[in-house]
Amino acid sequence: MNLETVIGALNLGSIYAVMALGIYITYKILDFPDLTVDGSFPLGGAVTAAIINAGGNPAAAIAASAIAGTFAGFLTGVIHVKLKIRDLLSGIIMMTALYSVNFIIVGSKASLPVTGKDTVFSNSFTRNLFGEKASDNAPLHSLFDFKELITVVIFLIVLKVLLDLFMKSKRGYLLKAMGDNPTVVATLAKNGGNVKIMGLAIANAFVSVSGSLFCQYNKTFFLTDGTGKMVIGLAAVIIGINIFGKIRHIASTTAVMIGAVIYTACVTLALAKFPANIMKLVTAVLFLLVLVLGQVKIGTLNFSSKKGGDKK
Amino acid sequence: MKKTKGIVSLITAGTMLISGAMLAGCEKKDDEMLTVAIGQFGEHGSLDNCREGFIEGLRQEGFEEGKNIEIIYQNASFDTGNCTIIAQNFVAQDPDLICAVATPIAVTCYNEAYEKEIPVVFTAITDPEGAKLTEGEVTGTSDALPVEEQLQLIRELMPEAKKIGILYTTSETNSEYTINLYKELAGDYGFEIVTKAVSDGSEVSLAIESIMDEVDCFSNLTDNTVVGQLDIMLEKAGNAGKPIFGSEIEQIKKGCIAGEGLEYFDLGVQTGKMAAKILRGEAKASEIEYETVTENHLYVNKAVAKSLGIELTDAVNERAEFVGEE
């Protein structure tokens, strides 16, 4: 492992961080275990691969993914709120349906490559700026290894600021109130159900955008890209909130983003340094270590905070 | 005070990442040794055989692990995210050659290695063109099944049969390609192909029931998900008295009646020999066309044929390698 591996982990971690922001909204704010994620993540990838292959603009593909994700989350919300299906089950229903939807979007193929096509990570702009190959000369060639990271961090910061701003708006407060104490929303004469639907829609927009970035970064869409993504997102949220959530100067959204990077770092370390048969075991031990160490560190440093382990 | 806490925890996070990197940073490359990185998509019998064959192929050409090459091996456990991490790891270590076993990891390795022009040699990929693995420093072997021979075999053993049932997984690129080939060629042998797609292993037993009455026999691909459920398929088809034709020795051993298939170990050896050419500098990966299997094997399970009352013809008996219990 060397600097490039670390950058690789940061790249993927930052892409997962976008998804973690979405899962933070459903799991942490709305207290809604949203399984739609395993379908809406590849939905973003499918939309992106289809648009890019049709000659579309990669940035437009991200916007289209966001819209598709919003719609998926909206439907999960409607199934849950209007049809009164349990939260887990509404997610499962949407996840199941989205498998076929994704399949259809990419033209009934198991995978759709975007190799050789322009993506947000590799287009005429980035090629002029950083060069195309490691041996090229370009004005910012010293940053060649960082080009993907720079792009994804810019996206991440914009999305985080947007989410933070939204959380401070009237609707944002309603969303938080809905998770903490639904009666408050009712006393404000607002429809709590609609607030939930809105939350799910926004969350899945984030997840889809993450899927879109994942597809462009990997240069291929695979129908199985969504498998286990909910687990990754949840781990990121829990790691982030447990370690950094209690510190005043770090916003929850930042904590969750760092959580996603730590998650990816753990997996990278396990993959790179240990044999395949114990890889998952090592990953599990690393998570446990991170969570326990996080409690110890914060417990001794931050006297004003509550002791760890009290949050979900 | 409060700010310090924030900073301290940020540093903690940073240290975790960097310490991981430092742990390994001390590894130095020996000039005499060549490095070969092998990435495998997941734990799976055929893929393992491929990998072992690859190492054997290199050995036959004089590249021995520990002697003059160092082998780094990583396995993605069937997770496309892990494929990316592995590909990044490999490229960061700047190996002399990357061997990728199965499509998803080959695609990610190819994309990661493209900028640094590290040669990628793939194996166990059915349709390299569909996966766009044809341009640049990339070559390898395709495990495309001998579909035509398989259809011939079925016609020979079942002269009256009309419809062949095939189960496959929608998420497997290889199956999609092979199914299309089956549909294209079936007419030439007077067959009609009935397909049923599943999205995961648990659906296989339902899927086989759903087309059982319609078809005369089944033919199996190398579809990982479906092959994983072969036991239940054999039981259901056996009860209905319908044979399943296989595509690989392990399937015939388990109870498929017969099959024209390939030996994944041999495919690996073939791939290893191609890699050796590149390592010796005799040819660049971009100059070598990808290859398909050169030799097919006909495997027959006599006991199964007998229990289903299917008679083996002389032509089959002559070529067949018999497997399974007598």
Side-chain angles (χ1 to χ4, degrees), chain A residues 59-275:
Chain A
I62 294 183
S65 304
I67 294 167
T70 308
F71 190 60
F74 170 80
L75 284 180
T76 307
V78 169
I79 292 171
H80 174 60
V81 174
K82 305 290 180 197
L83 305 180
K84 303 198 173 28
I85 310 286
R86 290 191 60 166
D87 47 10
L88 270 175
L89 212 52
S90 342
I92 292 172
I93 290 171
M94 271 316 284
M95 174 182 83
T96 311
L98 284 172
Y99 184 91
S100 287
V101 172
N102 297 336
F103 195 43
I104 295 164
I105 289 175
V106 293
S108 299
K109 288 194 169 99
S111 66
L112 187 57
V114 295
T115 310
K117 302 265 188 339
D118 276 4
T119 65
V120 287
F121 300 110
S122 165
N123 47 54
S124 54
F125 180 70
T126 64
R127 280 194 289 271
N128 286 333
L129 213 53
F130 303 107
E132 194 183 353
K133 294 199 166 167
S135 49
D136 283 355
N137 271 319
L140 285 178
H141 192 256
S142 51
L143 292 175
F144 182 78
D145 287 334
F146 296 91
K147 59 185 191 330
E148 286 96 357
L149 190 59
I150 294 169
T151 314
V152 70
V153 165
I154 292 172
F155 270 101
L156 192 54
I157 292 174
V158 170
L159 290 168
K160 181 200 134 54
V161 169
L162 282 176
L163 183 60
D164 284 345
L165 282 177
F166 172 78
M167 280 304 170
K168 287 188 183 130
S169 72
K170 202 177 127 205
R171 281 167 189 275
Y173 278 117
L174 273 176
L175 192 66
K176 277 193 250 180
M178 190 61 212
D180 289 339
N181 189 351
T183 34
V184 174
V185 180
T187 37
L188 288 170
K190 298 282 177 195
N191 185 332
N194 287 346
V195 177
K196 236 179 196 178
I197 295 174
M198 175 188 72
L200 281 164
I202 296 171
N204 281 292
F206 275 89
V207 175
S208 274
V209 168
S210 176
S212 169
L213 291 169
F214 184 80
C215 164
Q216 301 194 33
Y217 183 66
N218 265 343
K219 299 199 178 78
T220 302
F221 164 79
F222 286 104
L223 202 53
T224 49
D225 274 347
T227 315
K229 286 299 175 293
M230 171 67 179
V231 178
I232 294 178
L234 267 186
V237 170
I238 293 168
I239 290 173
I241 296 284
N242 265 356
I243 302 182
F244 305 100
K246 297 179 208 77
I247 300 164
R248 286 245 173 103
H249 283 269
I250 297 185
S252 301
T253 41
T254 315
V256 163
M257 281 158 38
I258 303 174
V261 173
I262 294 180
Y263 173 92
T264 318
C266 287
V267 178
T268 306
L269 193 62
L271 269 173
K273 287 286 122 202
F274 297 90

Side-chain angles (χ1 to χ4, degrees), chain B residues 269-300:
Chain B
V269 172
Q270 198 177 334
T271 320
K273 290 183 174 171
M274 292 170 84
K277 260 188 204 165
I278 298 164
L279 286 174
R280 276 199 297 264
E282 287 171 14
K284 294 183 84 178
S286 49
E287 294 160 4
I288 308 174
E289 287 271 314
Y290 77 86
E291 296 172 3
T292 45
V293 197
T294 39
E295 225 177 297
N296 296 330
H297 295 263
L298 167 60
Y299 301 109
V300 174

Side-chain angles (χ1 to χ4, degrees), chain B residues 116-134:
Chain B
K116 282 200 164 178
E117 296 173 29
I118 301 170
V120 175
V121 176
F122 57 76
T123 181
I125 293 180
T126 306
D127 182 17
E129 274 158 46
K132 305 211 171 158
L133 291 170
T134 42

Side-chain angles (χ1 to χ4, degrees), chain A residues 24-37:
Chain A
Y24 165 75
I25 298 173
T26 48
Y27 180 69
K28 209 65 202 167
I29 298 184
L30 280 179
D31 195 15
F32 189 109
D34 180 24
L35 289 175
T36 317
V37 172

